[in-house]
Amino acid sequence: MDDEDALMQRAAVGDTQAFDALVQVYQAPLLRFALRSTGNPEAASDAVQEAFLRLWRGRIGYTPRGCLRAYLFRILRSVCLDSLRAARPEEPLEDGAGAASDPADLALVSGLADAVRLAVAALPEAQRSVFLLSHYEGLSYTEIAEVLDCPVGTVASRKHQATETLRRKLYSWRDS
Amino acid sequence: MTCEIVLPQLEALLDGELTPEDAAEAERHLEVCAACAAARADYVEVRRMADAWTVAVPDIRGRVTAAVDADERNALLTEMQRLRLEMQSLREEVAALRRQLSPRLEAPWTPPARRDYRTLEDDPWNLIRS
């Protein structure tokens, strides 16, 4: 059992200090993921707060089946998807909608960071989540498979597709 | 290994997700295949470009703690409300039972009529005669 699982076991019996320590450990990676997923700082903070609340409410029945980090990202992704669906009910998330920017604006931006942000936002949701979790948060393919509830091979294939799409778009942006 | 196998595995290779055997085989292919080596260099470049997108995140510990406290308070209030309703319903049940029983409890006790005492201990001769 690792440190975080030990903290969670203590939180499960009502130890709020242990829960605060978990919030301290995980708030930054969760906020980064939520912010990059939603493109909205307020929505990201709300989503992370909701993810921690759900963890707290479910603490009594918590059993360490896998990795706590993956479990938290799984809750957070679900909250982010709900929030994106509520914000844009008419747009299917699979088509790269969701992040708050219009992917068509890629040609208009001048900075690399904005180009990356728009190119990532244009990825289909499943590929985007895999890329964000792997590249920015350093989750292993096994952990990502747990977050997305899919086979490890699917994670590898989505990561490859996402990188290939980003390569095409970013090279095209750079050369234009 | 061929290009068809190595190309889709480049990301996994860069992420350290291949088995040592597969990684070694892919590396051997990359040493002799310029196209795959160029693709790997492209993927490394994409990673470098992606690193340009950084985000600053706030400290939300305070609001998470406040939300958890409020949630706990709400849960306790809901439980109190449930118990209060349960107590109220119990009180009503007790009152109804008391109303049902009270006429009998409060009425003075009167012995049953003589004819109910038809046992051998009561007056057997009378029983025979009747």
Side-chain angles (χ1 to χ4, degrees):
Chain A
M1 186 189 295
D2 58 23
D3 289 349
E4 281 77 35
D5 267 333
L7 284 173
M8 192 59 214
Q9 296 282 327
R10 282 171 49 201
V13 290
D15 183 340
T16 50
Q17 280 189 338
F19 189 75
D20 288 346
L22 282 175
V23 174
Q24 162 83 16
V25 170
Y26 286 116
Q27 65 162 345
L30 293 177
L31 279 165
R32 284 195 301 264
F33 176 79
L35 188 49
R36 286 186 170 114
S37 291
T38 63
N40 178 334
E42 196 48 43
S45 296
D46 287 347
V48 173
Q49 179 183 309
E50 178 62 23
F52 279 124
L53 256 184
R54 289 189 192 181
L55 181 71
W56 175 254
R57 286 179 191 146
R59 71 192 184 280
I60 293 164
Y62 176 80
T63 44
R65 276 184 296 267
C67 163
L68 178 63
R69 178 166 70 153
Y71 180 66
L72 262 171
F73 272 113
R74 186 184 172 122
I75 300 174
L76 178 62
R77 178 171 175 257
S78 161
V79 176
C80 285
L81 290 180
D82 288 348
S83 137
L84 289 172
R85 282 193 196 101
R88 302 179 174 196
E90 71 286 356
E91 292 181 40
L93 296 173
E94 295 73 25
D95 294 345
S101 311
D102 184 355
D105 292 341
L106 185 60
L108 304 175
V109 299
S110 55
L112 175 59
D114 280 341
V116 173
R117 178 173 58 79
L118 292 175
V120 172
L123 291 171
E125 190 283 323
Q127 286 183 31
R128 184 169 67 231
S129 287
V130 168
F131 188 80
L132 294 179
L133 291 169
S134 171
H135 182 74
Y136 294 108
E137 304 311 328
L139 266 70
S140 70
Y141 287 8
T142 309
E143 287 174 305
I144 298 173
E146 208 178 307
V147 176
L148 273 68
D149 195 21
C150 68
V152 174
T154 306
V155 173
S157 142
R158 284 177 182 165
K159 178 80 191 291
H160 169 72
Q161 289 163 356
T163 309
E164 185 51 37
T165 306
L166 291 178
R167 184 194 65 76
R168 252 185 303 106
K169 290 199 169 183
L170 292 174
Y171 275 28
S172 156
W173 168 82
R174 189 183 62 185
D175 300 338
S176 64
Chain B
M1 266 193 180
T2 62
C3 299
E4 288 74 31
I5 296 172
V6 172
L7 273 175
Q9 290 188 345
L10 282 178
E11 268 299 307
L13 177 68
L14 291 171
D15 285 329
E17 292 280 348
L18 292 185
T19 62
E21 297 76 27
D22 286 347
E25 234 183 292
E27 289 290 356
R28 276 196 296 278
H29 175 83
L30 287 164
E31 280 170 19
V32 296
C33 177
C36 286
R40 172 162 70 174
D42 283 343
Y43 285 4
V44 171
E45 175 62 4
V46 168
R47 285 165 181 245
R48 193 197 61 76
M49 292 172 98
D51 286 340
W53 183 22
T54 56
V55 290
V57 292
D59 186 343
I60 62 162
R61 269 177 300 170
R63 67 180 270 186
V64 170
T65 305
V68 166
D69 287 349
D71 196 62
E72 280 290 279
R73 213 169 22 250
N74 282 340
L76 283 175
L77 286 174
T78 307
E79 180 65 4
M80 274 171 65
Q81 181 71 15
R82 192 187 65 77
L83 288 173
R84 200 167 278 148
L85 287 173
E86 219 168 79
M87 264 177 65
Q88 180 61 31
S89 138
L90 205 61
R91 200 173 283 139
E92 281 166 11
E93 267 181 60
V94 169
L97 205 59
R98 186 168 286 147
R99 273 196 303 276
Q100 248 180 15
L101 294 174
S102 61
R104 271 194 271 166
L105 290 175
E106 285 163 14
W109 184 80
T110 48
R114 181 73 188 156
R115 65 177 176 278
D116 289 339
Y117 283 79
R118 295 199 167 202
T119 64
L120 287 176
E121 285 82 4
D122 294 331
D123 189 354
W125 294 111
N126 269 345
L127 281 175
I128 291 163
R129 273 196 295 275
S130 68

